[in-house]
Amino acid sequence: MNFLLPNLAPAYPEIFLLIMVCVALLAELAVGDKLHYISYLLAQIALFGCALITFTTSTPDVVYTFSGMFVDDTLADVLKLVVYITVSIFLVYSHKYVAMRGMFSGEFFSLVLFATLGMMVMISASNLLTLYLGLELLSLSLYAMVALRRDSVAATEAAMKFFILGALASGFLLYGMSLIYGATGALDVARITEVIQSGVANPKVLVVGLVFIIAGISFKLSVVPFHMWVPDVYQGAPTAVVLFIGSAPKLAAFGFIMRLLVEGMGGMVADWQGMLIILAVLSMVVGNLAAIAQTNIKRMLAYSTISHMGFMLLGIISADSNGYSSSMFYIVVYVIMTLGTFGMIMLLSREEFEVEKLDDFKGLNRRSPWYAFITLLFMFSLAGVPPTVGFYAKLSVLQAVMGVGYVWLAVVAVLFSLVGAFYYLRIVKLMYFDEPESDVPISPHGDVELLISANGMAVLVLGIFPQTLMALCVYAINQPI
Amino acid sequence: MLLGFPLLSLVIWLPIFIGILVFATGGDRNARLAKWLALAGSVLSLLVAIPLYAQFDSIMSGMQFIEYHAWIERFNVHYHLGVDGISMPLILLNCFITPLVVIAGWQVINNRVSQYMGAFLVMSGIVNGVFSSLDAILFYVFWEASLIPMFLIIGVWGGPNRVYAAIKFFLYTLMGSLLMLVAFIYLYNVSGGSFSILDYHKLPLPLAPQILIFIAFLLAFAVKVPMWPVHTWLPDAHVEAPTGGSIVLAAILLKLGGYGFLRFSLPIVPDASQYLSGMMIGLSLIAVVYIGLVALVQADMKKLIAYSSVSHMGFVTLGFFLFNAYGIEGAMVQMISHGFISGAMFLCVGVMYDRLHSRQISDYGGVANKMPIFSVFFMLFAMANAGLPGTSGFVGEFMVIMAAIKVNFWYAFFAATTLIFGAAYTLWMYKRVVFGAVASSKVEGLVDVTGREILILTILAAAVLWMGVYPLPLTEVMHATVDDLLAHLSRSKL
């Protein structure tokens, strides 16, 4: 038998990360419980190494390997780089928080790295099986992370809901994939594209498969009506884990959509466009309206996430490279804002005290004008008010969707973003107009302080000079399609 | 002439930069430093804006002091600045009002002084940006950004009901501007990828989209002006805002709406503007007459002046949609003059409020006995508000009424009723507050204006009188631009 070693080069970052996870696990065993900082440092080193590999090996070419199951193109490179940075920032924000809550253990970091590996596989997958593999690796790590604080009733309940609904969604997705496989006889994304374009596949089976796939993706992306788990998980899970769930996996989900819907099922645009319009409108309506009624900050941000994902879908709905790059820009901006907002929530939390209620932001301007100002930037950015970067995210998806003639969709979107502005303003109101309820000094770690200031400034500076980030998204998208 | 010198950028970014420095002075321990820095910054910003007038070429109708740099290539957005005869006077007005606002808050604001002063300076720069942007996205960024400092000013330093007023102010204005954004994106797509306002002026458009764009613009600008029936945020915001906030709101922020009509609605969609001019004139006359009557029954002085602002701004929109030179120039004069007069009126109320902590007319009476100097100033501004000849209030109103009479006698008739109602509500309020016997022991304890207050009131009084007697320096700079605008309006874009 002749065994040819596949071209491993495109998968070097994944291989490196896998080795590093194993090293981290072993190191944990070797040094015991006392030196958890080793795991933290190893995780940061692993991410840095991955970034270095991805960056240095990045070429504008599209390279397939493992018999076409794995692809390395600009979209994969850019998305992966953003994922590394996001996870790295997440680790800085959360290490103090998890240490105070007894979650600072080797498992936490291994799970984070495994989840990251799952995301990378999702982003680079060009086969239904690889896609599913990456997705499950990510999901299983996330379930475990939510449940990591096992003496907390709320966290256990959240993990249970997350797991059951997540498993259901995976089932949907798998069933959809099997239907697609049945109709086209192919698992390869490129091959599926060809078969769909040639028109030999049974269109009815294809559409039913598509419905299931979209349902599965919608769950992972948290859009209405597959959003039920989001508020509960956000409320119940430890804030650090919520930050993780709310940030990097959205990038992977975007990659997933690009691979499966856009590349694989591009021939069925007319079908999925209609479905996505319904999902987007519902998400914007439900997300924004439900957020108003919340008194728990994490629940409010959960609904805000839902509405943002609806907004992001507008770019995908446009179904052209302009729209995809707008959506990608939106997702990246959304991740920057989410990192900052949850980072701030963790910064304000102390030992034995969780920032849960909106009222915990009361009078922040009295306690610390600088953090109040940074939170103000995040809030206005989430609301899409210039001169913050959130405005350009909204501008670019609106431009994309209007470019293909859906003016009404843009009008609906801006009207509901007006509704959305209300609950972000409420946080600003609490911080600036109200008197503080506690005067405990805010004393974050130096690294967190520095990074969250940089994060806040990024929202403002990218809001004044958004060109580079936009150009990066255009670069990522224009190559593969 | 300083060719190629980025004067407009300086006028925009200098106050913003100094505003940030003022923020950086930190807590109330450094309040003195913050105040002096803010004063120096605002005066400096006024000084650098003077060459805009001195070197302005009033023969030329096009844009001057142009700056043009690439900004966001992805959407072909440029950092494109320039002023013409319409925007230049408004920038000067803004730079003129800011130092007065800083001085007005000098002793009254004792709480988070650096944030208060810094917010006004930053807002002053942002508003200059709105008036000088020639790129739709740049315009929109400044336009929206101006909401943030005002929101905080009302909400942090305002009266008892400030939270409601601040949020109402923000959401009302945001609602209008979001639809304007949709219109901009539509124009971007139609024009083949340009956000340049000057390109939009030349862009041919069929009537149906023109009308939709007009309505989108109308919502944005009508809320800002504010026109009846979307004016309800204004009395709330004014009543709750601190004195400085009220002055800026009335003198500057309302002008953004009027400016929007001249820069966007009229030139970009001229046919829709003509088509819907009847409606616009109707709305304006309702504002003039009905809101004038509403002002008559107010018991709160700030509310009364707020309603009087809405009524006077009705003249501005009326003048725009008469489509003749007198109308548009009159409306421009009215905008500038209203900036002085309403600012001064709010300042007068602020002076009394600082002493008595009441804005209710019924709490006053016989103020003249205790504050004679103040009463003289207050009378001058009240007369100007009523449109007395010789004050700036008369010039604009007279020009607009002249323009209206050319179009339709009844327009002029209803518009002219303001001379009666305006006099009625202003002078009646003045009578109840200032004349008569000393009403209470609190009024008995009033002390007359301080040197600082006399300084601001004198400056404003000089401006009101100078414009009332000799408005030529103002009308002169806008002739060419207005003529050009009218010529442009007479050409159909269908």
Side-chain angles (χ1 to χ4, degrees):
Chain A
M1 234 177 90
N2 202 355
F3 179 73
L4 271 176
L5 192 67
N7 177 11
L8 291 179
Y12 277 158
E14 282 81 359
I15 295 169
F16 175 74
L17 188 60
L18 186 58
I19 295 171
M20 286 303 285
V21 184
C22 298
V23 171
L25 277 173
L26 289 175
E28 171 76 12
L29 276 181
V31 298
D33 279 351
K34 282 179 188 149
L35 292 165
H36 292 308
Y37 262 89
I38 299 277
S39 312
Y40 170 69
L41 282 179
L42 275 175
Q44 290 285 24
I45 293 168
L47 290 167
F48 182 74
C50 284
L52 212 59
I53 298 172
T54 307
F55 188 74
T56 49
T57 59
S58 171
T59 54
D61 308 321
V62 183
V63 185
Y64 288 92
T65 183
F66 298 113
S67 324
M69 291 180 85
F70 193 91
V71 62
D72 181 25
D73 53 16
T74 52
L75 177 67
D77 289 341
V78 174
L79 273 180
K80 278 183 204 169
L81 280 171
V82 181
V83 167
Y84 306 145
I85 296 170
T86 309
V87 176
S88 173
I89 294 176
F90 151 75
L91 287 175
V92 176
Y93 281 164
S94 55
H95 71 84
K96 187 78 189 152
Y97 178 92
V98 295
M100 280 192 290
R101 279 153 190 79
M103 293 156 60
F104 197 76
S105 56
E107 296 93 67
F108 181 78
F109 296 103
S110 324
L111 285 172
V112 168
L113 290 184
F114 270 124
T116 310
L117 184 61
M119 291 184 243
M120 292 158 70
V121 173
M122 272 167 88
I123 289 168
S124 265
S126 65
N127 183 297
L128 296 186
L129 288 181
T130 347
L131 274 172
Y132 188 73
L133 184 74
L135 183 66
E136 282 307 279
L137 183 54
L138 168 65
S139 304
L140 288 170
S141 311
L142 290 183
Y143 304 146
M145 281 172 75
V146 175
L148 204 54
R149 225 183 148 186
R150 48 173 196 280
D151 48 350
S152 155
V153 179
T156 316
E157 188 194 328
M160 205 59 200
K161 276 184 191 153
F162 190 26
F163 176 68
I164 292 174
L165 289 171
L168 192 67
S170 296
F172 274 158
L173 196 65
L174 209 53
Y175 186 54
M177 285 178 172
S178 73
L179 286 172
I180 301 290
Y181 177 61
T184 60
L187 286 170
D188 237 29
V189 168
R191 181 83 191 114
I192 292 173
T193 317
E194 280 169 32
V195 177
I196 290 177
Q197 234 119 50
S198 67
V200 293
N202 182 335
K204 277 185 192 142
V205 181
L206 274 181
V207 170
V208 176
L210 182 67
V211 170
F212 278 101
I213 284 182
I214 292 212
I217 296 178
S218 302
F219 177 87
K220 304 291 173 194
L221 209 57
S222 67
V223 293
V224 180
F226 305 98
H227 67 290
M228 305 297 185
W229 62 277
V230 189
D232 292 336
V233 171
Y234 271 48
Q235 188 179 9
T239 311
V241 178
V242 176
L243 168 56
F244 191 68
I245 295 176
S247 56
K250 303 288 184 233
L251 294 160
F254 175 76
F256 194 94
I257 292 179
M258 289 305 292
R259 298 294 177 209
L260 194 53
L261 280 190
V262 175
E263 287 177 30
M265 312 187 71
M268 301 176 69
V269 167
D271 294 301
W272 53 256
Q273 217 174 18
M275 298 181 205
L276 291 187
I277 289 179
I278 297 171
L279 293 173
V281 171
L282 281 178
S283 299
M284 290 187 289
V285 173
V286 174
N288 280 319
L289 291 179
I292 293 179
Q294 307 306 320
T295 53
N296 179 304
I297 174 102
K298 282 153 82 183
R299 271 190 101 81
M300 189 204 93
L301 287 170
Y303 283 108
S304 134
T305 302
I306 294 167
S307 72
H308 277 286
M309 287 305 115
F311 236 101
M312 185 279 296
L313 282 181
L314 295 181
I316 311 265
I317 288 166
S318 333
D320 53 11
S321 59
N322 179 25
Y324 303 139
S325 63
S326 304
S327 276
M328 183 164 164
F329 182 69
Y330 200 101
I331 283 270
V332 174
V333 168
Y334 165 78
V335 166
I336 296 174
M337 301 185 298
T338 307
L339 278 173
T341 315
F342 279 103
M344 189 58 80
I345 294 178
M346 282 194 276
L347 189 151
L348 297 178
S349 300
R350 296 181 302 274
E351 202 142 11
E352 306 302 314
F353 175 74
E354 293 280 345
V355 171
E356 294 258 314
K357 299 190 304 287
L358 289 177
D359 286 350
D360 294 333
F361 276 87
K362 266 191 178 170
L364 186 60
N365 185 37
R366 289 264 183 204
R367 296 168 65 196
S368 164
W370 176 244
Y371 292 129
F373 175 67
I374 290 184
T375 316
L376 170 122
L377 287 178
F378 291 137
M379 288 304 133
F380 279 121
S381 186
L382 284 166
V385 176
T388 56
V389 68
F391 163 66
Y392 296 96
K394 291 224 156 68
L395 171 72
S396 49
V397 290
L398 288 176
Q399 189 274 328
V401 81
M402 284 177 72
V404 292
Y406 290 110
V407 179
W408 69 269
L409 206 50
V411 172
V412 171
V414 296
L415 289 181
F416 280 95
S417 76
L418 177 69
V419 176
F422 171 74
Y423 55 80
Y424 299 122
L425 274 185
R426 193 166 54 185
I427 304 239
V428 177
K429 173 232 157 199
L430 289 171
M431 291 190 305
Y432 278 85
F433 305 169
D434 291 351
E435 293 300 315
E437 285 184 340
S438 98
D439 49 2
V440 180
I442 305 163
S443 50
H445 256 216
D447 52 350
V448 179
E449 191 174 6
L450 201 67
L451 196 63
I452 205 147
S453 303
N455 197 335
M457 284 301 109
V459 167
L460 186 63
V461 170
L462 284 173
I464 298 173
F465 302 105
Q467 167 62 21
T468 318
L469 190 56
M470 284 182 172
L472 190 68
C473 294
V474 173
Y475 167 77
I477 296 294
N478 274 355
Q479 298 292 334
I481 301 156
Chain B
M1 189 158 168
L2 296 157
L3 263 180
F5 182 76
L7 190 60
L8 280 173
S9 285
L10 190 66
V11 170
I12 296 170
W13 296 106
L14 182 73
I16 295 182
F17 178 72
I18 297 180
I20 292 170
L21 283 186
V22 173
F23 284 134
T25 59
D28 287 345
R29 278 171 293 114
N30 298 325
R32 254 184 90 77
L33 176 65
K35 284 176 192 169
W36 281 105
L37 192 62
L39 182 63
S42 55
V43 171
L44 198 62
S45 311
L46 175 62
L47 292 180
V48 298
I50 286 172
L52 280 183
Y53 184 84
Q55 294 170 15
F56 189 84
D57 182 354
S58 54
I59 319 270
M60 217 171 100
S61 66
M63 291 297 163
Q64 307 187 26
F65 302 101
I66 290 176
E67 291 172 38
Y68 188 81
H69 304 286
W71 180 27
I72 307 171
E73 284 97 345
R74 164 92 162 85
F75 288 112
N76 199 14
V77 174
H78 292 90
Y79 180 74
H80 190 182
L81 301 176
V83 287
D84 60 7
I86 292 168
S87 43
M88 192 271 289
L90 292 168
I91 291 182
L92 284 181
L93 174 69
N94 180 33
C95 292
F96 176 78
I97 293 290
T98 311
L100 300 185
V101 169
V102 170
I103 303 174
W106 202 260
Q107 280 159 4
V108 191
I109 302 294
N110 297 312
N111 173 10
R112 286 177 263 188
V113 178
S114 67
Q115 293 187 359
Y116 180 85
M117 297 290 174
F120 275 111
L121 278 178
V122 169
M123 186 154 65
S124 165
I126 291 172
V127 169
N128 282 338
V130 176
F131 288 136
S132 48
S133 300
L134 294 180
D135 184 282
I137 292 300
L138 187 63
F139 172 84
Y140 189 81
V141 168
F142 282 126
W143 173 273
E144 290 277 273
S146 70
L147 292 181
I148 300 175
M150 199 62 209
F151 174 71
L152 295 178
I153 288 167
I154 298 176
V156 178
W157 294 278
N161 203 11
R162 59 187 197 271
V163 173
Y164 169 78
I167 291 186
K168 189 173 182 181
F169 161 77
F170 195 98
L171 292 183
Y172 247 84
T173 359
L174 188 64
M175 174 191 75
S177 32
L178 281 170
L179 289 171
M180 175 170 76
L181 179 66
V182 173
F184 284 153
I185 298 174
Y186 178 84
L187 286 166
Y188 171 81
N189 287 334
V190 172
S191 66
S194 167
F195 273 119
S196 164
I197 295 170
L198 300 179
D199 285 354
Y200 294 168
H201 286 188
K202 301 183 203 101
L203 185 71
L205 286 167
L207 188 60
Q210 273 204 32
I211 288 177
L212 289 176
I213 293 172
F214 183 86
I215 291 170
F217 284 156
L218 175 64
L219 277 169
F221 303 139
V223 166
K224 265 275 178 1
V225 167
M227 294 176 71
W228 184 87
V230 285
H231 65 281
T232 60
W233 64 270
L234 186 77
D236 288 318
H238 267 316
V239 168
E240 300 305 333
T243 305
S246 288
I247 297 175
V248 168
L249 200 57
I252 310 297
L253 292 190
L254 304 192
K255 307 304 174 294
L256 296 179
Y259 172 75
F261 279 115
L262 285 185
R263 179 68 77 231
F264 293 90
S265 303
L266 294 180
I268 294 177
V269 285
D271 302 288
S273 302
Q274 304 263 12
Y275 185 78
L276 295 171
S277 64
M279 178 184 82
M280 295 303 295
I281 290 172
L283 291 176
S284 308
L285 288 175
I286 291 176
V288 170
V289 178
Y290 165 71
I291 300 294
L293 289 171
V294 172
L296 206 54
V297 297
Q298 297 305 316
D300 179 311
M301 284 189 276
K302 263 192 161 178
K303 259 204 165 127
L304 187 145
I305 302 168
Y307 279 112
S308 127
S309 275
V310 179
S311 168
H312 283 117
M313 289 305 283
F315 259 93
V316 174
T317 44
L318 175 67
F320 290 160
F321 286 89
L322 293 169
F323 298 105
N324 59 44
Y326 261 140
I328 293 179
E329 279 181 25
M332 276 295 297
V333 173
Q334 173 78 350
M335 283 213 282
I336 304 283
S337 135
H338 176 259
F340 295 136
I341 297 174
S342 66
M345 289 294 278
F346 279 117
L347 191 68
C348 289
V349 175
V351 165
M352 290 190 283
Y353 180 80
D354 294 341
R355 288 164 173 72
L356 216 66
H357 297 283
S358 167
R359 295 179 306 258
Q360 300 300 317
I361 297 175
S362 54
D363 286 348
Y364 291 87
V367 171
N369 300 316
K370 291 290 150 192
M371 303 174 73
I373 306 175
F374 169 76
S375 300
V376 172
F377 278 114
F378 194 18
M379 180 164 76
L380 171 71
F381 297 128
M383 290 296 183
N385 200 41
L388 186 81
T391 63
S392 65
F394 173 74
V395 182
E397 287 179 14
F398 181 70
M399 284 171 84
V400 173
I401 292 172
M402 291 273 284
I405 224 162
K406 283 188 192 164
V407 178
N408 184 325
F409 168 76
W410 289 105
Y411 293 168
F413 176 81
F414 284 114
T417 58
T418 192
L419 294 172
I420 301 164
F421 295 139
Y425 59 69
T426 319
L427 298 182
W428 190 32
M429 173 191 79
Y430 185 79
K431 182 215 145 222
R432 283 181 289 168
V433 170
V434 174
F435 295 142
V438 172
S440 67
S441 57
K442 280 184 178 173
V443 177
E444 184 68 46
L446 285 176
V447 282
D448 211 341
V449 278
T450 62
R452 179 184 59 89
E453 287 159 341
I454 291 179
L455 174 70
I456 324 176
L457 290 170
T458 312
I459 295 173
L460 281 167
V464 167
L465 287 174
W466 171 58
M467 262 191 67
V469 178
Y470 187 58
L472 189 69
L474 176 64
T475 50
E476 185 183 63
V477 292
M478 53 199 196
H479 269 316
T481 311
V482 170
D483 287 345
D484 189 57
L485 177 64
L486 284 168
H488 179 86
L489 279 170
S490 61
R491 289 190 296 270
S492 171
K493 282 174 89 176
L494 294 177

